[in-house]
Amino acid sequence: MNKVVLILVACMVFSCGSKKEAARKKDPRKTNTERVVIQEKSEDKPVIREPQEHTTTTETNMPISSTEDYIATFSAIAQEEMRLYGIPASITLAQGILESNSGKGRLSVEANNHFGIKCHDWTGDRIHHDDDASQECFRKYIDAKYSYRDHSLFLTTRSRYSKLFDLKKNDYKGWAKELKAAGYATDRKYPDKLISLIERYDLDKFDEAVVGYKYEETVASNRTGNTTYTVVKGDTLYSISKKYNMTVKELQDMNGLRDNALSIGQELLIKPL
């Protein structure tokens, strides 16, 4: 009987020792688990993501409600293009305003194409739009600023526009006329429209800011040796005739004019001073 009691006591002691030993073995694992949790918290830092290469949410893609908004949005881009490629910012802006309807035309809204540049050898996205013919192919840009860059490349890489770059950078009247002469547009009033926009919205101030001085128009002699004058905003036959000591009739006769109508950018033969 005593032996049985001793065996039972021994078993109980061994069992308790085993539980204590098991508890001691579990403690390191508990400590390790807590350490892992702390480590995870210490690494919980904000992740810095690289910006995507292309994005369609930019200031140049925001809705434009007026021509003034258009100018405010794109004037800095036009000036940068002028610095890089020598194209007057005033001309670029006036063309953008005219051809995109101040950013509200379909091509500008749906394709960010502000200059009506067609596909030609374009390999990027496209949009089809009625123009000279039905459903012609036009270039589509992810951002309007790329339309401005393509406009610069379009003029600088085609030989027919080379004469433009013989003109002063801020001679917007000369640029408007030469664009038409080079075949940029078929509308015979295209130069007048550009000049009118430039003078209405004082777009030449952006040219002046880039080159550092205001362009001063001078009376010049044409190829035949005759002296010519380019009509500017506010001119009348009477004011021009007085300026050059002529009568209105003399001015009309010299230029074959039947009435007093003048257009901005029109060249008139005058008597030399």
Side-chain angles (χ1 to χ4, degrees), residues 200-240:
R200 178 179 178 183
Y201 294 102
D202 296 322
L203 301 182
D204 56 323
K205 67 185 178 185
F206 299 112
D207 301 338
E208 184 180 354
V210 173
V211 300
Y213 66 93
K214 187 175 180 66
Y215 180 73
E216 295 293 338
E217 186 178 21
T218 58
V219 175
S221 295
N222 62 18
R223 293 177 182 176
T224 62
N226 294 317
T227 304
T228 62
Y229 173 79
T230 303
V231 176
V232 299
K233 186 177 180 180
D235 278 342
T236 64
L237 282 178
Y238 179 78
S239 66
I240 297 171

Side-chain angles (χ1 to χ4, degrees), residues 173 177 199 217-222 226-237 239-241 243-244 246 251 254-255 262-271 273:
K173 291 181 180 178
K177 295 170 187 174
E199 295 183 345
E217 186 178 21
T218 58
V219 175
S221 295
N222 62 18
N226 294 317
T227 304
T228 62
Y229 173 79
T230 303
V231 176
V232 299
K233 186 177 180 180
D235 278 342
T236 64
L237 282 178
S239 66
I240 297 171
S241 66
K243 185 174 182 178
Y244 294 100
M246 300 172 64
L251 199 54
M254 186 174 287
N255 290 277
L262 294 175
S263 59
I264 295 173
Q266 180 179 352
E267 285 192 356
L268 297 176
L269 294 174
I270 58 170
K271 287 181 179 179
L273 290 173

